Amino acid sequence: MPLSIAEENYLSTSLSQKPPCRPDGRDPHTFRPLDAAAGILPATNGSARIRLCDGGECIVGVKAEVEVCGGKPVEVQCDIAGQLNNSPLQSFLCTTLESAVRNALPPSHLSISNKYTYKLYIDGIILDHVSHPLTLLSMTIFLALLNTRLPTLITEDNTDENDEIGLPQFESDWQQSRLLCDDWLPPLVQLAVVAGRNVFVDPTGEEAAVSDGGILAIWHQSKVVGLRTVNTRDSSRQVFNVKSVATAVDVLTQTSREVENALRKVVAST
Amino acid sequence: MSRPEIYSPEGLRIDGRRWNEVRHIKCAINTHPASSDGSSIIEQGNTKVMCNVVGPAEPTSSSGGGGAKSNTNSFANENKVTLSVKATVAPFSTIDRRKRSGNDSRIQEMCLTIQHIFEEAVMGHLQPRSQIVISLYILAQDGGMLQACINAASLALIDAGIPMYDYVCACTAGMHDTEVLLDLNRLEENDMPFLTMATLGATRKVSLMQLETRVGVDKLEPMMAAAMSGCHYLRQIMDAQVRKHGKNRLARVGA
């Protein structure tokens, strides 16, 4: 539902004043409550589901397949309900998250032998979204990767040349499998919107619609490793103060740390 | 590679069932109250399907679950409700990951089949000029995708409070040599001719029968009889679940 001019004006004024006033009374760095579960699909290597209180929902399944070394190690694909394939939003989500995961994942975690490697297929389905689905998809992928298990290898890790025909053999006992993220944490991509001098995380659809623009931060190993502006509203006007970028990094650092800890607790409890 | 024994001489199947036993069923309704009018999730064995129903609502270009695109207004039927069905098969639903394109012909055919079934089962004349969007999400498949989709859609429509003549329940039955097997899993489906049947509640009214493999005509009747009894059994389970949900909900509002 598009906002009327009066509504838009009211919302944008209340968001940009100091201190800001969000329609639902949240702090700038507070998330809405969400419902998260990991390990929901036994047929995948790792899976997760997150549901937001506005009805937005995302399901992610991770499948690892054995491939010959040399290809792309990670592939991220997503389906957005109600949108055609190759929509701009879909390709934005896939490329952003694919490069984030690929850059963060050490190649040694996927290697099997000198010839074979795992390839991770991360597939997401966004069943419904009211607000921008980037944070939702990123958090679900984070959970699914934390939940991902890879079977242990039982063939000797031969570096011989004559091992080329031998396909790797795996332990059939799933209890013996190893976690992909034993000493490694997946990246988190968080979106914040800027309104005047204020920065808000987890924006609702209306907040994003009246904001000056969005900034995404890729968070990995307790650092912000990437930053990008995102168009969160239809118009081409997207101008914000340089100081807002610094504020955004501060706010996103704080919330990413908290979100990361919260999601790790979800996996630990399942 | 040795082939698994589909049906042992002692009368046990791969997963230990007898010929007339269905896989374990777990279903729930009203699982997504925030995003849809009616929703359900059903697990039949390792097959898992989620369904969201939006409607009955005014047909618009961006109706809820988003099955229908721009031209739905021209489809607004003056006499009865318009149903649109959309299915998404998750790429991770099969053992080996497989990405299906959006307009896979098998999936489209399945959507059309489901649409036809529910056009008969829903009292469409009560809601003219409106639209119901059924979105199906297949999260895991282990045989019986169509039956699980039909059962899930049936439950979600009931949850949405849409008047229907009865539940539509679907079940598969296969013929292994001379033995009828009920509710096949993926391995069994690949090995023998099977049919999917849907009935309107616990009646003998058949709303769908789909048989895509070659089978002797003398074997058809026992397969149909078995599938029908499976449908009737499923109706009991689904009905029990809906009643249980209703009871809980009434208790919550304090009635």
Side-chain angles (χ1 to χ4, degrees), chain B residues 64-84:
Chain B
K69 288 272 169 287
S70 59
N71 52 358
T72 42
N73 260 326
S74 57
F75 284 127
N77 194 320
E78 304 235 327
N79 303 316
K80 58 189 284 198
V81 71
T82 311
L83 281 176
S84 77

Side-chain angles (χ1 to χ4, degrees), chain A:
Chain A
M1 183 88 83
L3 296 173
S4 70
I5 294 171
E7 284 171 323
E8 199 177 312
N9 214 328
Y10 172 78
L11 198 54
S12 102
T13 312
S14 56
L15 285 181
S16 48
Q17 70 188 4
K18 267 268 177 248
C21 174
R22 299 178 83 164
D24 46 9
R26 276 185 291 154
D27 276 347
H29 48 78
T30 307
F31 265 67
R32 289 167 291 174
L34 56 83
D35 169 23
I40 52 163
L41 299 168
T44 56
N45 288 78
S47 57
R49 188 208 64 195
I50 290 186
R51 192 153 56 174
L52 303 177
C53 61
D54 64 3
E57 181 167 6
C58 180
I59 296 178
V60 166
V62 180
K63 283 243 174 200
E65 297 204 339
V66 177
E67 296 202 354
V68 177
C69 292
K72 269 202 295 188
V74 180
E75 200 176 304
V76 176
Q77 300 249 317
C78 74
D79 268 333
I80 304 174
Q83 290 200 11
L84 293 175
N85 273 340
N86 305 322
S87 66
L89 178 64
Q90 188 198 24
S91 43
F92 165 71
L93 291 178
C94 294
T95 49
T96 310
L97 287 161
E98 188 173 305
S99 64
V101 175
R102 196 168 51 216
N103 293 337
L105 182 66
S108 60
H109 277 63
L110 293 180
S111 82
I112 298 169
S113 65
N114 54 345
K115 181 144 191 256
Y116 292 100
T117 178
Y118 285 115
K119 179 170 180 179
L120 286 187
Y121 288 96
I122 304 173
D123 292 289
I125 303 179
I126 295 167
L127 305 164
D128 205 349
H129 69 280
V130 184
S131 44
H132 199 286
L134 177 70
T135 312
L136 172 64
L137 181 61
S138 165
M139 288 193 295
T140 321
I141 289 180
F142 182 90
L143 262 188
L145 283 172
L146 275 188
N147 179 246
T148 299
R149 289 180 161 273
L150 298 173
T152 33
L153 201 64
I154 49 172
T155 41
E156 298 273 313
D157 188 14
N158 261 332
T159 43
D160 294 347
E161 298 285 316
N162 53 14
D163 192 35
E164 279 195 4
I165 40 158
L167 281 165
Q169 300 286 314
F170 296 98
E171 180 76 58
S172 54
D173 186 1
W174 195 240
Q175 296 297 317
Q176 303 287 321
S177 59
R178 68 178 168 93
L179 279 171
L180 173 70
C181 303
D182 44 0
D183 55 351
W184 171 79
L185 276 179
L188 259 180
V189 183
Q190 298 280 336
L191 177 76
V193 293
V194 180
R197 293 290 182 85
N198 299 319
V199 175
F200 304 95
V201 296
D202 191 23
T204 59
E206 290 88 20
E207 284 172 342
V210 302
S211 65
D212 297 339
I215 294 179
L216 71 79
I218 303 170
W219 168 264
H220 182 232
Q221 287 178 329
S222 311
K223 280 195 294 281
V224 172
V225 295
L227 211 58
R228 208 187 128 171
T229 58
V230 184
N231 220 344
T232 50
R233 53 183 294 167
D234 294 334
S235 82
S236 56
R237 189 175 74 96
Q238 178 156 340
V239 184
F240 38 73
N241 198 306
V242 182
K243 282 183 185 151
S244 311
V245 180
T247 321
V249 173
D250 284 346
V251 171
L252 286 168
T253 307
Q254 188 193 341
T255 52
S256 298
R257 185 173 286 124
E258 285 168 11
V259 168
E260 191 177 86
N261 288 335
L263 292 178
R264 287 175 73 179
K265 275 183 206 148
V266 172
V267 174
S269 67
T270 46

